[in-house]
Amino acid sequence: MSSTAPLYSAPLSRPHLRAGGAAAPRPAIYNAPRDANGNLIFAEPPPPATLEAQRRHRKERLAVSFRLFARYGYDMGGAGHITARDPEFPDHFWVNPAGVYFGHIRVSDLILVSHDGKVVEGDGLLNRAAFAIHSELHKARPDVIAAAHSHGLYGKAFAAQGRLLDPLTQDSCAFYEDHAIFRDFSGVVLDTSEGQRIAAALGPRKAVILQNHGLLTVGASVESAVWRYIAFENAAQTQLLSEAAGPTRPIPHDVARHTAGQIGSDVGGWYSFQPLWDVITREEPDLFE
């Protein structure tokens, strides 16, 4: 599909109201680019005009992402982290502080970390595993803006099997021929040398299964990296449930590859994130503090 082709026709404009009649914020997707006829163009909006505005944009989406992880049950004590590269200092990234519940994280709680492990902004504690993994990912992949990793239940269960996802559904095809396995589990990742090996296993792909550990996804935006994690967990759950029910029928190679091209892009991840942004920002506005 051309990046300028309209995806959906614009519906009739009408106000979106809360139950009490007060006007609610317009859905975020309404801010997406449109052509002269009002049809959605399948492309992300241009970035904010200033570096400070870009930084705020990424941090807000990072805070929303932690709230989403809490809602999906991806929190596991102190485990799990999502990072976003700073737009002005590309060798620094924003990350959640160690020991803070995902569902309570606000923009002001995020900490800025250099690639040599120094907290240069924020009062929170640095999760050493987050640094060991994400610093090396960001070094190895300059195209990556964000990376997401946690210990979701179904991702862990699938990771224990040490195999790739099968293309069982349209949704799982987003990862077809675009994910890998890191098999060298050696305990909690505290050394950057293991982060380097994880980055090498990931290569140019969008996701890697950390065997006996969990899932990790990356993207060219916070939105795409986080949506990919949610979708990867869902695909793992689907495969486990389907195989438990009986024999499966994977999608043929050519169709799976074609479907991956339709739904597996960074823009597709950004698009799928928008309704989730709407839910969290309407219901938990304290995250902007």
Side-chain angles (χ1 to χ4, degrees):
M1 178 183 293
S2 168
S3 62
T4 59
L7 182 64
Y8 297 119
S9 296
L12 293 175
S13 178
R14 60 181 183 271
H16 293 262
L17 302 177
R18 295 184 187 274
R26 285 163 57 87
I29 195 64
Y30 286 12
N31 297 321
R34 301 191 186 202
D35 64 18
N37 296 318
N39 296 316
L40 178 66
I41 297 173
F42 201 52
E44 293 184 41
T50 68
L51 288 172
E52 186 55 42
Q54 291 176 32
R55 179 178 295 118
R56 179 72 189 188
H57 182 273
R58 292 182 187 181
K59 290 174 68 178
E60 287 179 353
R61 279 140 190 84
L62 200 55
V64 165
S65 298
F66 289 114
R67 301 294 181 101
L68 283 170
F69 270 32
R71 290 213 185 186
Y72 278 106
Y74 300 156
D75 57 305
M76 185 69 181
H81 17 86
I82 311 171
T83 53
R85 191 188 300 272
D86 187 81
E88 184 175 5
F89 305 105
D91 59 347
H92 291 56
F93 57 83
W94 295 91
V95 66
N96 50 306
V100 179
Y101 173 54
F102 286 173
H104 292 166
I105 289 178
R106 303 164 299 170
V107 170
S108 59
D109 293 317
L110 300 172
I111 59 175
L112 181 63
V113 181
S114 68
H115 278 189
D116 57 3
K118 295 180 181 177
V119 177
V120 298
E121 186 173 331
D123 298 326
L125 301 173
L126 175 61
N127 182 316
R128 301 310 303 180
F131 171 73
I133 296 173
H134 290 252
S135 63
E136 297 303 324
L137 286 177
H138 284 287
K139 287 178 186 176
R141 291 282 301 274
D143 60 308
V144 164
I145 296 299
H149 164 67
S150 199
H151 296 181
L153 177 61
Y154 294 99
K156 285 188 298 185
F158 192 82
Q161 298 189 349
R163 59 189 175 119
L164 296 173
L165 281 173
D166 291 332
L168 296 184
T169 69
Q170 173 179 299
D171 296 331
S172 61
C173 285
F175 301 96
Y176 188 63
E177 298 184 320
D178 204 11
H179 68 293
I181 303 176
F182 175 73
R183 301 186 185 278
D184 189 21
F185 178 76
S186 60
V188 178
V189 182
L190 297 176
D191 193 297
T192 55
S193 63
E194 186 162 348
Q196 292 171 2
R197 296 197 300 276
I198 291 172
L202 173 67
R205 304 170 189 87
K206 64 166 64 87
V208 60
I209 297 168
L210 308 181
Q211 186 171 305
N212 307 111
H213 186 171
L215 308 178
L216 187 149
T217 58
V218 299
S221 66
V222 174
E223 296 96 321
S224 64
V226 170
W227 171 254
R228 285 170 173 173
Y229 185 92
I230 293 169
F232 208 178
E233 277 279 344
N234 181 269
Q237 180 181 6
T238 299
Q239 183 158 337
L240 291 169
L241 290 173
S242 182
E243 290 175 341
T248 61
R249 297 180 179 179
I251 296 169
H253 167 72
D254 289 346
V255 178
R257 177 175 283 182
H258 172 69
T259 307
Q262 292 178 310
I263 66 173
S265 69
D266 274 291
V267 175
W270 171 86
Y271 174 84
S272 295
F273 184 89
Q274 301 312 303
L276 306 182
W277 164 271
D278 290 337
V279 170
I280 297 297
T281 56
R282 288 190 189 192
E283 297 180 4
E284 303 182 31
D286 65 296
L287 70 91
F288 292 111
E289 296 173 3

